[in-house]
Amino acid sequence: MATAPVELSWDGPLAVVTLDAPPLNLFDLEMVTALRAAIAEVRTSPARGLLLQARGRAVSAGVDVNLFATLDTVTGTELWADWLTMIHDLESLPFPTVFAAHALCLTAAFEISLACDLLVAAESARFGLVEIVVGLTPSMGGPQRLAERAGPARARELVYTGELYDAATLERWNVVNRVLPDDGFAAAAHAFALGLANGPTRAHAATKTIVRTQVAGGTRAADEVTPQVSGALFGTADLQGAVASFLADGPGKATYTGR
């Protein structure tokens, strides 16, 4: 009996979504359907954080090229519109999302990683948008999200060349947030994501709203939403408890429930 290509598990408030379609975690219709279902389940759960990771010798070798042989102009347009909806669903989750890349991370997986709030990578991880080998451009939001992180010139370079880039280079370019040692990478990435999930969830959601507004409309647009978004936090149990903890015991002692 075949196993599902995506696994959803939990560690307290942290949802863990794992790509598990050996040997290369190729993206096909089944993989995307399963990933979309996992994201939907996480959205309706009491999750306060998400870790998206992969199992096997590669994060993913990209999209199964057999799929492209079945597409024409109409069905190709429909496919990308559908898959971008999944990207938007991932981006709109109201809590921190972390993508952990332990090894080779190509095309669709790389684009999905860019839809997460933070991208952590093992020292030996490699990344690439290699769609030029089939005459395609990355179409799950990768170029535009690379441009947000690294600037338009770097985004064009990655796509035009189709080259592989190491984690340290992409950290310098602000694409990767943190490079962690290969040894113990999975545990370290999990601990990092769990720490965020155990934080002030409503405050993290406010941060996401402010940053996304700035990206879309500039600093003044973010300034417009900040007073209301941040002011609402004074009505949360987490802020009230953290203020009381700070005054009684000093900083760093508060715990949060996400309320």
Side-chain angles (χ1 to χ4, degrees), residues 66-156:
N66 288 298
L67 176 60
F68 295 150
T70 70
L71 301 176
D72 57 24
T73 300
V74 173
T75 55
T77 300
E78 292 172 345
L79 178 86
W80 296 132
D82 182 53
W83 287 16
L84 272 166
T85 299
M86 179 185 67
I87 294 292
H88 298 160
D89 290 344
L90 176 59
E91 285 183 319
S92 65
L93 290 173
F95 41 71
T97 58
V98 177
F99 192 99
H102 69 284
L104 184 68
C105 185
L106 299 182
T107 70
F110 190 10
E111 294 185 275
I112 290 167
S113 79
L114 297 171
C116 291
D117 296 331
L118 302 176
L119 169 54
V120 298
E123 290 173 323
S124 62
R126 297 291 183 272
F127 298 83
L129 295 176
V130 299
E131 283 84 349
I132 60 167
V133 300
V134 292
L136 187 65
T137 188
S139 302
M140 291 174 65
Q144 51 268 49
R145 284 161 181 78
L146 275 174
E148 282 183 9
R149 295 185 183 221
R154 290 299 191 191
R156 287 189 289 264

Side-chain angles (χ1 to χ4, degrees), residues 8-107:
L8 174 60
S9 59
W10 300 87
D11 184 0
L14 180 67
V16 181
V17 172
T18 305
L19 308 181
D20 189 15
L24 296 174
N25 293 321
L26 292 178
F27 277 77
D28 56 15
L29 296 180
E30 183 184 7
M31 171 75 87
V32 172
T33 298
L35 181 56
R36 171 177 277 131
I39 293 170
E41 185 172 347
V42 169
R43 175 180 295 280
T44 59
S45 75
R48 294 166 52 203
L50 169 67
L51 174 64
L52 213 165
Q53 61 182 12
R55 189 173 289 131
R57 70 172 186 262
V59 175
S60 174
V63 178
D64 185 346
V65 177
N66 288 298
L67 176 60
F68 295 150
T70 70
L71 301 176
D72 57 24
T73 300
V74 173
T75 55
T77 300
E78 292 172 345
L79 178 86
W80 296 132
D82 182 53
W83 287 16
L84 272 166
T85 299
M86 179 185 67
I87 294 292
H88 298 160
D89 290 344
L90 176 59
E91 285 183 319
S92 65
L93 290 173
F95 41 71
T97 58
V98 177
F99 192 99
H102 69 284
L104 184 68
C105 185
L106 299 182
T107 70

